[in-house]
Amino acid sequence: MTAAETRTEHRLGPVDRIPVGEGRSYAVGMRQVAVFRLRDGTLRATQASCPHAGGPLADGQLDLSRIVCPLHLRAFSFADGTCSEGGRITVYPVREEDAQIVVEL
Ligand code: FES
């Protein structure tokens, strides 16, 4: 069984709770997930805590391809979670459905 087969969908509420160009943190079971609403209207979801020293990724600056941690400015790719300075974050599948955020963990 692959990781994708064991994922569960979670509805996190209205997409418009997240201003365009910003992120918000959500508790999903025992995990904290950061969901970002990009300027092109699409969503991205990652672990909420930076692997470097626990910075709140939902409060970071973002563009269409990466999130920059607000504490020490490490940038993590939305595509695969990698960081050029080392470390990696978990990236979760997320989509908008009926104006709701649906994330798969
Ligand atoms: S805590 Fe995120 S870069 Fe240091």
Side-chain angles (χ1 to χ4, degrees):
M1 186 176 290
T2 67
E5 290 172 315
T6 61
R7 288 195 175 117
T8 302
E9 291 187 350
H10 302 269
R11 295 176 84 83
L12 304 184
V15 169
D16 62 9
R17 189 175 292 166
I18 307 175
V20 172
E22 295 188 17
R24 292 291 184 270
S25 187
Y26 295 84
V28 183
M30 300 295 288
R31 288 188 251 193
Q32 291 287 321
V33 177
V35 180
F36 303 92
R37 192 175 179 197
L38 276 51
R39 295 202 179 279
D40 67 0
T42 60
L43 299 174
R44 300 290 184 273
T46 71
Q47 68 185 61
S49 178
C50 178
H52 177 230
L57 293 176
D59 295 340
Q61 296 289 313
L62 58 136
D63 61 22
L64 295 178
S65 63
R66 61 192 191 147
I67 175 66
V68 178
C69 178
L71 290 195
H72 310 104
L73 306 181
R74 291 190 181 195
F76 297 90
S77 165
F78 283 131
D80 60 8
T82 56
C83 173
S84 61
E85 296 177 66
R88 185 181 198 134
I89 57 173
T90 300
V91 177
Y92 301 108
V94 63
R95 67 180 189 278
E96 179 176 342
E97 188 175 291
D98 300 328
Q100 300 283 308
I101 301 162
V102 180
V103 66
E104 295 177 40
L105 302 185

